Amino acid sequence: MEQPRIIADITASLDGFVTGPDAGPGNGLGTGGMPLHNWVFSDDPDDRGILAGATERSGVVVMGRDLFDVIDAPDGWSDELGYGATEVGKPPFFVVTRARPETIRLTGLDWTFVTTGLEDAVSQARERATVEAAGTGVLKDVVIMGGGAIVGSALAAGLVDTFILHLSPLILGAGTPLFRAGARVELAQRDVLVTSTATHITYDVL
């Protein structure tokens, strides 16, 4: 059977930050970071189509523990706002963490906590997506959604097939960087769509 694609998908400012300063539970996009995701809540039909299509193609999602803590906080995801924003997708989620959280607020979602590292989490997610495809007949993607350290590490480790970057027309000046010094990664630009709120770029990882 064909293997699921591994896609890293994230939004960043023009100066390469995925949040503003002081990001965390209760302040998920950091100070001044909310405009990063203007495209997610845009009425532009191209933005809406990108969001809906990405949510629909997400078979399994991988994230880091910091992002999970933001999502599971009292002001995090809800029945009206979740994976894919207002799309509220409910794929299985694999969280890379040192230890399982003591409590989980979002008990209605399918969580797997992987304490053996990012590579193992991606491998387990791919296996889950393959099993789901065998049952439904539809092969969907494994999506690494962040945060920035997880996406950057996955690219550096050669775990990603396709990298989707949503560039927000915003210069934050500080915050959580998408990339830190690390491995060199070559990309081939496959698609660019410019909307009123973002530039959506799809790369194949060489």
Side-chain angles (χ1 to χ4, degrees):
M1 176 181 285
E2 185 182 357
Q3 289 290 303
R5 290 188 306 168
I6 310 298
I7 295 179
D9 189 316
I10 199 163
T11 299
S13 66
L14 292 180
D15 51 348
F17 295 103
V18 296
T19 76
D22 303 317
N27 192 31
L29 287 174
T31 303
M34 284 299 294
L36 280 169
H37 284 184
N38 281 349
W39 76 269
V40 173
F41 301 101
S42 167
D43 291 328
D44 187 305
D46 287 330
D47 287 325
R48 301 305 304 167
I50 287 172
L51 188 65
T55 305
E56 174 60 28
R57 292 192 304 273
S58 298
V60 181
V61 174
V62 177
M63 70 178 70
R65 176 59 185 271
D66 288 348
L67 181 55
F68 168 81
D69 287 343
V70 167
I71 287 165
D72 199 52
D75 66 340
W77 284 356
S78 64
D79 291 339
E80 293 76 35
L81 189 68
Y83 180 69
T86 54
E87 297 293 325
V88 195
K90 294 186 177 180
F93 297 96
F94 283 68
V95 181
V96 182
T97 181
R98 289 189 176 87
R100 180 184 175 87
E102 294 182 5
T103 61
I104 300 172
R105 179 179 66 86
L106 296 169
T107 56
L109 298 178
D110 184 345
W111 299 106
T112 299
F113 296 92
V114 181
T115 59
T116 48
L118 174 59
E119 186 170 353
D120 198 23
V122 171
S123 177
Q124 290 184 38
R126 177 180 278 156
E127 289 176 11
R128 178 69 178 272
T130 302
V131 170
E132 298 276 343
T136 64
V138 178
L139 184 65
K140 295 188 176 184
D141 300 327
V142 172
V143 178
I144 304 172
M145 70 173 290
I150 289 289
V151 168
S153 295
L155 282 164
L159 301 175
V160 177
D161 301 312
T162 301
F163 177 41
I164 300 175
L165 178 63
H166 311 279
L167 269 180
S168 174
L170 175 67
I171 297 173
L172 282 170
T176 305
L178 174 55
F179 297 116
R180 296 176 172 86
R184 180 175 180 272
V185 180
E186 288 193 39
L187 309 170
Q189 187 168 288
R190 177 156 57 87
D191 184 68
V192 179
L193 177 61
V194 179
T195 71
S196 58
T197 55
T199 301
H200 308 278
I201 312 171
T202 301
Y203 300 96
D204 291 325
V205 181
L206 302 179

